[in-house]
Amino acid sequence: MQLHTLLSTALLASPLAVSAAGTLGFAVGNTNADGSCKKQSDFEADFKAIQSNTDAKIVRTYSASDQYANPCNTPSQILPAAKSAGIQVLLGMWPDGGAYQKEKAAIDAANPTQYGDTLYGITVGSEGMYRGTYNANDLVGWVKDMKNSYPGVSIGSADSWNCWANGTMDSIINSVDLILANGFAYWQYQDISNATKTYFDDMAQALGHVQEVTGSLDKIHFMNGETGWPGTGGTDAGAAKAGDDNMKTYWQSAVCGLLDWGVDLFWFEAFDEPSKPDAIGDNGQKASEKYWGSFTSDRTPKFDMRC
Ligand SMILES: *[C@@H]1O[C@H](CO)[C@@H](O)[C@H](O)[C@H]1NC(C)=O
Ligand SMILES: *[C@@H]1O[C@H](CO)[C@@H](O)[C@H](O)[C@H]1NC(C)=O
């Protein structure tokens, strides 16, 4: 298949241009296990756990102001913690429901460029096109606005792999510096034995389409924005069975595999979130999102995360 050929070419080329292995990152929530907003000291403890148990170099967040709970002002708390830990941050903005200006104000309040290289970039939106909570015009406008306000900072957007692959994101692709394509074999109801194949196929389709639209193998920085597998206590999705053993298998095969291929990725997520409300899955059933951490909420690793 052409898409696979493109991917192989890109990945064969990338080790020469950059480094051989992809960069590991973690998605981190902005609330503690009791639901309170994480402060600088909470993020410091997060980074200590991540850095002493994994090879991760970067973390990403989702909401700057957190419009669902009390204002967490996450950028102002996480950036100083990351600077002292020596880890980079990809700051997320959650612009759904008219929150763009509020989210931007929370970014501005942190004066993020004062942290230099600690600020890896800023993403506007996470799967909002997939959910239909904003449209392509909104997203392109917000990305342009952020680029004007933060020249020299990488601005990106995250969405489901199939939206990047099937044309939904075509008008966004050439506006952003960073493309984060999320892919979960779990949400495609795959048995663990076929999960890595599905994940690789998802990423190949998304990256292949981005390469076609840009006419380049590496003009835009492509990352896997999220992948993961629910641990013990989580919900099954068809043949995809939750459990710490399957999470570990998926990590060793899918995560270590994609990193080996030279693609950057974010694991969703670092820490269990026992106070997170249930989500409605693609199958319309209630699904727990509490136990996706590769660490428990008290920051104990569930398995060996070195590749
Ligand atoms: C692209 O994929 C998304 C997610 O599955 C779907 O909602 C959308 O309808 C698809 N669009 C096209 C043009 O196929
Ligand atoms: C395994 O994954 C591939 C790639 O996504 C898919 O085409 C195939 O249908 C899957 N096999 C099974 C048995 O579900």
Side-chain angles (χ1 to χ4, degrees), residues 190 194 197-198 201:
Q190 294 296 312
N194 199 47
K197 182 176 182 180
T198 298
D201 190 47

mmCIF file of all heavy atoms in Angstrom, residues 190 194 197-198 201, ligand 2:
data_model
loop_
_atom_site.group_PDB
_atom_site.id
_atom_site.type_symbol
_atom_site.label_atom_id
_atom_site.label_comp_id
_atom_site.label_asym_id
_atom_site.label_seq_id
_atom_site.Cartn_x
_atom_site.Cartn_y
_atom_site.Cartn_z
ATOM 1 N N GLN A 190 -10.044 -3.911 19.876
ATOM 2 C CA GLN A 190 -9.105 -4.933 19.431
ATOM 3 C C GLN A 190 -8.639 -5.806 20.591
ATOM 4 O O GLN A 190 -8.319 -5.284 21.673
ATOM 5 C CB GLN A 190 -7.873 -4.274 18.784
ATOM 6 C CG GLN A 190 -8.193 -3.551 17.497
ATOM 7 C CD GLN A 190 -8.672 -4.493 16.406
ATOM 8 O OE1 GLN A 190 -8.065 -5.527 16.166
ATOM 9 N NE2 GLN A 190 -9.769 -4.135 15.759
ATOM 10 N N ASN A 194 -3.891 -8.239 18.743
ATOM 11 C CA ASN A 194 -3.892 -7.519 17.458
ATOM 12 C C ASN A 194 -3.750 -6.005 17.656
ATOM 13 O O ASN A 194 -3.849 -5.228 16.709
ATOM 14 C CB ASN A 194 -5.202 -7.810 16.703
ATOM 15 C CG ASN A 194 -5.118 -7.507 15.218
ATOM 16 O OD1 ASN A 194 -4.162 -7.900 14.557
ATOM 17 N ND2 ASN A 194 -6.095 -6.766 14.693
ATOM 18 N N LYS A 197 -0.712 -4.045 15.928
ATOM 19 C CA LYS A 197 -0.908 -3.971 14.471
ATOM 20 C C LYS A 197 -1.899 -2.861 14.128
ATOM 21 O O LYS A 197 -1.691 -2.062 13.207
ATOM 22 C CB LYS A 197 -1.411 -5.322 13.968
ATOM 23 C CG LYS A 197 -1.606 -5.395 12.482
ATOM 24 C CD LYS A 197 -2.000 -6.806 12.082
ATOM 25 C CE LYS A 197 -2.147 -6.935 10.584
ATOM 26 N NZ LYS A 197 -2.524 -8.306 10.216
ATOM 27 N N THR A 198 -2.993 -2.811 14.886
ATOM 28 C CA THR A 198 -4.013 -1.788 14.646
ATOM 29 C C THR A 198 -3.441 -0.383 14.875
ATOM 30 O O THR A 198 -3.649 0.527 14.075
ATOM 31 C CB THR A 198 -5.220 -2.036 15.574
ATOM 32 O OG1 THR A 198 -5.768 -3.308 15.238
ATOM 33 C CG2 THR A 198 -6.278 -0.975 15.432
ATOM 34 N N ASP A 201 -1.142 0.596 12.099
ATOM 35 C CA ASP A 201 -1.925 0.882 10.900
ATOM 36 C C ASP A 201 -2.586 2.262 11.001
ATOM 37 O O ASP A 201 -2.589 3.040 10.038
ATOM 38 C CB ASP A 201 -2.980 -0.225 10.726
ATOM 39 C CG ASP A 201 -3.671 -0.153 9.378
ATOM 40 O OD1 ASP A 201 -2.970 -0.021 8.360
ATOM 41 O OD2 ASP A 201 -4.909 -0.220 9.344
HETATM 42 C C1 LIG B 2 -6.168 -6.603 13.210
HETATM 43 O O1 LIG B 2 -5.810 -5.248 12.920
HETATM 44 C C2 LIG B 2 -5.863 -4.924 11.550
HETATM 45 C C3 LIG B 2 -5.330 -3.512 11.425
HETATM 46 O O2 LIG B 2 -6.152 -2.598 12.077
HETATM 47 C C4 LIG B 2 -7.295 -5.059 11.061
HETATM 48 O O3 LIG B 2 -7.357 -4.751 9.686
HETATM 49 C C5 LIG B 2 -7.785 -6.473 11.313
HETATM 50 O O4 LIG B 2 -9.161 -6.555 10.976
HETATM 51 C C6 LIG B 2 -7.606 -6.844 12.762
HETATM 52 N N1 LIG B 2 -7.907 -8.262 12.970
HETATM 53 C C7 LIG B 2 -8.903 -8.668 13.726
HETATM 54 C C8 LIG B 2 -9.041 -10.149 13.871
HETATM 55 O O5 LIG B 2 -9.678 -7.893 14.289
#
